[in-house]
Structures are given as C-alpha cells and as structure tokens.
Amino acid sequence: MLIFVRRVTTLFLALLFLGGCVAATKKAGVATAEVTTLSGDEQSPRETLELPRSVAVLPLINRTGKPAAFDLVWQTLHNHFSGKNYRSLHLATVRRKLEAAGLEDPQSLDGIPEERLSSILGVDGLLMGEITHYDKVFAGLYAQVAVGVRLRLVGRDGVERWRAEKVVRKHEGGLATNPVGLLMSAAFAAWHVKDDVNLFRAADELGRALMAEMPEPPYLDGQRPPRITHVAHDGISRVMKYGDTLAVGLEGDPGLTATIRIEGLPLIDLPEVQPGVYHTKFNIRPQDNVTDAVVIGLLQDAYGNRSEWVSPLGFVAVDNRAPDLLLDLQATVRDGRAILTWKPSTQADLDHYQVEVSENPQGPYRKVGMPRENRLEQPGLSDFATFHYRVMAVDKAGNLSEAAQTSVQAAPDARFLQAENLEGTLPRQITGTVALTERNGPYHVRHPVEVRLGGLLLIGPGTRLIMQDRSLITVRGGLQVYGTSDKPVVVTGMDGAPFSTFVALASEEPVTIRGVTVRGGGIPIQITAGSPQILDSRLLKSLYSALEISGSSRPLIRGCEIQGSGAGGVVVEGKAQPRFEGNRFLENKPVHMQNGSEYRIDARGNSWQPSASVSTVLGAVDY
C-alpha cells in the first residue's frame, strides 16, 4: 500500500504537487464528443457515449512495491494527459481534495463509486488505474527497464469510456545530448539515481504512447496548441544566490516563442538554439529570493495558442538573505588552544559556521574552521599573543551572517587570564593573583614588595621593571616570569642607577624565572629556600654577586649568562645544593663561583671565560 509521498528529497517531488501541461488557444476549446467504447477484447462497438469535459487523474495504485514508481509514473502520465483537450485538475488540487475526504491512501480508492469521487474532485470524469511494472532486468550483456500501467477513463456515471494496458521496455541508454537533454542528465546525476534516467525515458515513452491512443474532444477550430516534450533546469539539489546562474531549457515544436516562468523571478526568454530546442542562462540578481518554486515552460505560436509544462526536475530555490548574527560568542584558552562556543543558529537553512582568526583586529583574517556544531577548538596558539576571532553563520546558499567577534590571549598558565592586571607602582603586598604585562608597564618598584604566602605574581614577556635603591621583591608565595629571547623581562635601576636586589626567593611554592635580563643590581637574585628555576636569563654587571644561594635551597640554574659581576658570579653557602646546566660565566671578578656549602657542586657542562681553574672557581666544585 502506498501513501502519498511527502519527502522533500524524493525524486520528482515537485511533480507531485503541481500539474504538467496546460493547453490554451485563442479560439479553441473543449467540444462535446462521442466515443465508441470497447469491452475487454471486443472489436465491435458496444455503445456510443459522450466524453467528459473535465477530468482528474487519480493517484495510481502502485502494484510494483517500488515507492519511486508512484512519483515518476503518476506525474509523467499527467503531464502527457494535460496535453489532451480536456480541462485537467492539477495534481496538487487532486491531492488536497482527496486528503480532505480522508482518502490519502491510493488503495482506499478501490470500491468507492466513481460518482462520489467525481463529486469530491468536482470533475466530470476520472482517469484511474494502476502501475503494473517498474523494473530493471538484465538480459545477456544489456540491462532492460520496463514501465507499465493499466488505465481506465470513467465518467461521473461510472461508465467506462476508454481503457488501455501497456508496458514499455527499453534498453539502457542516455538522454538526448542537446542542451535540454544535458540539463536533465545533470539533474539525475545530482540526485545520484543513474537507473532512474532509463526508467524516466521508459515512463515518458509510455505516457506519450498511451495519450496518442486516448480519445479526446475535438478542438472547436481544429487547431492544436504547441507541443512541449521536456522542460529542464540545473537548479536541483542546490540553493542559489547572487552571482550564480540558472540554466533553463525547453524542448518542443520548432520556430515558436518560448519562455520560462518561475514565481518570484522575472519571465525568462528562451532563444531557440537548435530546431525545437530553447535554452538560456539566467543570472541570479541580488534582490531575488524564492523558495521551492516550480519551473514552468511556456511555448506560444504566432496565433496566440500556448502550452505550459511543469519541469519534472524539482524546485528552484534562491536565497540572498544573510543569516542572523550569532549570539553569546565565548572564547577561553587552555593548554595553548582556543576554545570558542556560541549559541546555535536558529536558521532553518543553516549549512555550517565559518571561523576566522587574525592577530590584528583590522585583519587580514584567515579561515581556521567550518564546523557544523556551535564549537571550535584551535590548537597551537603562541603564548601571550592576542588572537582576534570572528564567527559567521553560513546558509545553504553560501550567504554569511554579520560576524560575531571576540579576542583572547594565549598564556602558558591559565591563571594569567584571570589575574588582576596592575599598572604603575607595585603595592607593598601581593596576596592574590597579580599580572604584570608589557601593555600595562613599565612598573616601578619604589619600596620593598612582598608576595605573601598564597599570593602569585605573574610577569609576561616584554615587561619592564624599574627598581629604586633598597627596593626588592620578596617572594614567599608563587612567582612565574615568562620572558622570551625576543621579548625579555628587563630589570634596571631608575635612570640606570644601581639598585640593591631584584628578587629574594624564600618560597617553597613553584617559582620559575625565565628570560629575564637584570643589569646593574647589587645582588640581583637571592635564594634562601625552595627549588626555584632560573632559566635562559642574563645577569649583567652586578655590583656584587649575580646570584647568592643559601639555606637549604635546591635551585636549578640553566641556560643563563652571568657576566661582569664585581664580587663573584655565584656565591653558595649553608646547605644549599644548586644545579648548574649549560650556563655561560663571563669576565666575573674575582671569581666565577665560590662554594661555601656543605655539599659539593657539580658544575660540569658550563662554559667559563676566563677558563675555570682553582683561581676562578673556589671550593668543592667539579668543573
């Protein structure tokens, strides 16, 4: 049992809702006529009856078990029947009236009196029947397709006026190679239904043959309207917008005037490119917007007689409306990746989103993703660089919404993004999470500053600190300094004057100082506790020692340059156990290193100028 097909993507859905060919002439009309009916295989007249003037093509009962047969055969037969001299009811109207009467299923039409069906549909007669064949079989080396129907033309009175049963069998082949045939072939390819090309050819030939045999009322002036055989377009399976082109074509009688009508678009004139073949391309305009519009071909002769034919190749859609702006765009950074989220678009025709990024708010922007979900992650962000994002909704036509925008800064420590950003002079006490950045600097340290236990001081690359004499930063909480080779954290005295100390590290919490350049300090870095790391830094022209390490501390000093110290490059005391890896000791006076700790120091793997010796490295040091 076949229910009316409602699927938007079903083959020939456009045809399910609209009629095919309508013939109109200036003088011609439907005239009353009589027909001699035959019963079964009888060859002699049984009685002479008047043909109906208005006819509805009922949904055909599908005996094949193949749902696609219903769409294709019902509409193809209706297209050809509409070329007869009857007033035919559009299939959309047939469907609507039958549904209103509770007759949605073609099977339910069996046994209902023709008089009642005619009254429901408001016609004088009914063309009814069933689909008997819709097959593809292989015979030797060739594939053969078969389409067959059994039809009856019945009047309101229930008396049969005409009957026919026919099966068309065709070998596999293609459509014509003229512009209209190529459009139709492309449409079937867009549907990904190669087999239906051949079934369509068979159904088309079947409808043409049956309608040639079917009686019809004579035209009043004997003049038939123009004949249309095909109307095609390439709008199937796509939504067009400004800049796209729609190819349209019509095949029929030669030497006439052909046009295409699409509701919402201007009438399109079709020049005749070959005898009986009319074809052109229409450029979509910025103001064009149509949804599920049928393509109707019109062919008119010099006397004003005109035929219309609905294309069997689906609807046309044109969309030049941009989607709405996306809302609630949020961006976070975690582990060197940006995570963007936004409120899902409510656009019915949404296709995907487009995400772009730039390190300059003015652009240029580069595309980094086209997600279908309302989320995107972008890895590989450079620490402390600011990234500007914009996110747009993209509909099926390719229209972009206005860009929603946001900016994020990547950081190696997520706490950097939630920290309080200071400006100007550092306070005497730091108890929360505080960040110093190049953008908000330089910073003045005018008095002793203490990072309290539980506090955290974060210093970004390129930051400048200006120390006054006898000022220093004592760290009992956390300290993370993120200088780089091209953007070091620079520490100097006011106007180049000497100062006492940069930092005194007395914390058991994590402390890392990376990429710092300190010039002219008395003892720039003092370490009395914990396991801080001093990495890739330069301690230059210290008045006394560049590093003073004592207590029970266990620091790592790696990749640093210690140069020009006035009273020894490094002094180690108490129970300290420092490690030195890959450092450069240059021109320190009077010695590079002096170890007064209870533990021996392994200083191998460092470079020394002048060379390490008993006169430049004092105490229990292996070098």
Side-chain angles (χ1 to χ4, degrees):
M1 182 173 67
L2 180 66
I3 306 300
F4 278 98
V5 179
R6 299 176 184 273
R7 293 168 292 125
V8 174
T9 57
T10 299
L11 183 63
F12 294 101
L13 186 60
L15 309 178
L16 183 60
F17 297 110
L18 291 158
C21 179
V22 177
T25 67
K26 294 174 100 176
K27 300 178 182 178
V30 177
T32 301
E34 296 179 341
V35 62
T36 300
T37 66
L38 299 178
S39 177
D41 296 327
E42 296 178 24
Q43 301 300 316
S44 58
R46 190 179 68 182
E47 57 180 318
T48 301
L49 298 172
E50 182 179 306
L51 288 173
R53 292 187 294 272
S54 59
V55 176
V57 181
L58 290 182
L60 302 175
I61 298 173
N62 187 7
R63 306 291 190 193
T64 69
K66 299 178 177 65
F70 178 74
D71 290 347
L72 182 64
V73 179
W74 186 32
Q75 178 60 59
T76 302
L77 286 175
H78 183 270
N79 270 352
H80 288 290
F81 173 76
S82 297
K84 307 294 285 184
N85 195 29
Y86 293 94
R87 290 196 298 272
S88 62
L89 203 62
H90 279 190
L91 295 189
T93 305
V94 173
R95 175 181 179 272
R96 187 180 65 252
K97 289 188 174 185
L98 289 177
E99 284 185 346
L103 301 173
E104 298 182 5
D105 181 3
Q107 297 283 87
S108 66
L109 302 179
D110 270 350
I112 297 178
E114 287 81 358
E115 182 177 2
R116 183 189 169 200
L117 290 173
S118 297
S119 296
I120 290 172
L121 297 170
V123 293
D124 301 325
L126 305 168
L127 184 61
M128 55 202 305
E130 55 192 14
I131 306 171
T132 60
H133 295 74
Y134 194 82
D135 307 306
K136 180 176 181 180
V137 297
F138 291 92
L141 298 176
Y142 301 98
Q144 187 184 76
V145 295
V147 178
V149 296
R150 185 180 296 116
L151 296 178
R152 298 166 58 229
L153 178 62
V154 181
R156 176 186 285 268
D157 53 11
V159 177
E160 186 178 281
R161 266 63 171 182
W162 173 78
R163 73 166 59 178
E165 182 173 354
K166 194 174 188 67
V167 178
V168 169
R169 304 182 190 276
K170 293 186 71 67
H171 287 294
E172 210 169 29
L175 295 164
T177 57
N178 62 44
V180 175
L182 293 175
L183 283 178
M184 297 185 73
S185 296
F188 280 105
W191 264 315
H192 305 291
V193 283
K194 177 184 175 184
D195 292 345
D196 282 340
V197 174
N198 301 294
L199 291 167
F200 169 76
R201 291 171 61 241
D204 186 62
E205 183 174 318
L206 174 66
R208 205 176 304 277
L210 283 169
M211 293 306 107
E213 299 173 4
M214 184 179 181
E216 64 181 318
Y219 290 88
L220 290 178
D221 60 1
Q223 190 175 62
R224 286 184 172 274
R227 181 180 62 94
I228 299 175
T229 56
H230 295 300
V231 174
H233 65 90
D234 68 349
I236 185 67
S237 299
R238 65 184 180 124
V239 181
M240 294 169 286
K241 63 184 178 72
Y242 174 60
D244 292 334
T245 59
L246 172 67
V248 288
L250 179 151
E251 192 172 354
D253 291 337
L256 304 181
T257 301
T259 51
I260 291 291
R261 185 175 71 230
I262 302 172
E263 186 176 358
L265 300 181
L267 201 64
I268 303 172
D269 293 326
L270 294 177
E272 189 172 15
V273 295
Q274 296 176 17
V277 177
Y278 305 84
H279 178 268
T280 194
K281 291 184 178 180
F282 175 75
N283 295 318
I284 303 299
R285 306 169 303 173
Q287 67 268 33
D288 293 331
N289 287 285
V290 298
T291 302
D292 293 343
V294 295
V295 177
I296 303 173
L298 299 90
L299 194 61
Q300 182 170 310
D301 63 20
Y303 303 101
N305 300 312
R306 188 184 69 185
S307 295
E308 296 184 2
W309 190 281
V310 175
S311 171
L313 302 181
F315 297 123
V316 162
V318 179
D319 180 11
N320 281 306
R321 303 182 189 92
D324 295 333
L325 174 70
L326 295 171
L327 302 176
D328 298 334
L329 176 59
Q330 305 288 332
T332 57
V333 176
R334 186 182 305 129
D335 300 328
R337 65 177 59 231
I339 303 171
L340 288 88
T341 60
W342 53 92
K343 187 176 180 180
S345 173
T346 58
Q347 298 293 135
D349 62 342
L350 177 74
D351 188 75
H352 63 275
Y353 301 98
Q354 181 166 308
V355 182
E356 300 176 347
V357 66
S358 174
E359 294 187 29
N360 186 326
Q362 307 304 319
Y365 283 80
R366 66 183 186 278
K367 190 185 302 182
V368 293
M370 293 188 294
R372 297 191 180 275
E373 303 297 327
N374 57 317
R375 189 178 190 275
L376 180 131
E377 293 190 20
Q378 186 195 7
L381 302 188
S382 301
D383 286 338
F384 298 104
T386 299
F387 296 88
H388 306 275
Y389 288 93
R390 59 187 189 187
V391 183
M392 294 152 283
V394 185
D395 64 22
K396 294 187 183 304
N399 298 303
L400 277 71
S401 70
E402 182 183 346
Q405 300 189 54
T406 189
S407 299
V408 297
Q409 186 181 60
D413 190 327
R415 295 172 295 179
F416 217 109
L417 304 175
Q418 284 79 44
E420 176 189 358
N421 287 287
L422 295 184
E423 297 182 10
T425 300
L426 268 60
R428 290 184 179 275
Q429 291 188 347
I430 294 174
T431 55
T433 301
V434 170
L436 310 183
T437 63
E438 179 183 19
R439 181 177 59 185
N440 294 328
Y443 295 89
H444 291 268
V445 184
R446 303 182 188 277
H447 41 248
V449 173
E450 181 182 6
V451 180
R452 301 292 298 273
L453 185 67
L456 173 63
L457 178 61
L458 302 168
I459 304 177
T463 302
R464 284 189 60 209
L465 290 94
I466 300 172
M467 313 291 297
Q468 289 200 346
D469 190 24
R470 302 186 184 282
S471 64
L472 81 163
I473 301 173
T474 300
V475 179
R476 304 186 191 283
L479 173 65
Q480 299 291 321
V481 183
Y482 296 100
T484 64
S485 59
D486 56 337
K487 282 193 172 186
V489 172
V490 176
V491 182
T492 61
M494 177 73 71
D495 298 325
F499 60 94
S500 176
T501 300
F502 167 40
V503 289
L505 305 179
S507 175
E508 296 295 333
E509 295 187 19
V511 171
T512 301
I513 297 175
R514 182 189 298 273
V516 172
T517 297
V518 185
R519 187 184 297 272
I523 303 175
I525 299 178
Q526 300 175 18
I527 304 172
T528 59
S531 302
Q533 298 184 24
I534 315 299
L535 311 173
D536 304 323
S537 296
R538 303 177 72 208
L539 307 177
L540 310 175
K541 304 294 183 182
S542 302
L543 297 180
Y544 307 108
S545 300
L547 280 165
E548 188 176 272
I549 304 170
S550 61
S552 298
S553 62
R554 301 169 63 90
L556 168 64
I557 318 298
R558 184 173 64 201
C560 294
E561 178 182 335
I562 300 171
Q563 185 261 331
S565 301
V570 177
V571 175
V572 183
E573 299 175 341
K575 297 181 180 181
Q577 299 180 64
R579 292 177 293 151
F580 296 90
E581 300 175 359
N583 301 288
R584 301 178 305 282
F585 292 84
L586 305 172
E587 307 298 336
N588 297 294
K589 297 179 181 179
V591 295
H592 292 310
M593 182 180 296
Q594 179 177 333
N595 181 19
S597 169
E598 296 179 9
Y599 297 95
R600 189 174 190 86
I601 295 174
D602 184 356
R604 289 171 292 186
N606 299 277
S607 64
W608 317 83
Q609 185 180 339
S611 299
S613 65
V614 293
S615 60
T616 60
V617 178
L618 306 180
V621 179
D622 295 327
Y623 51 80

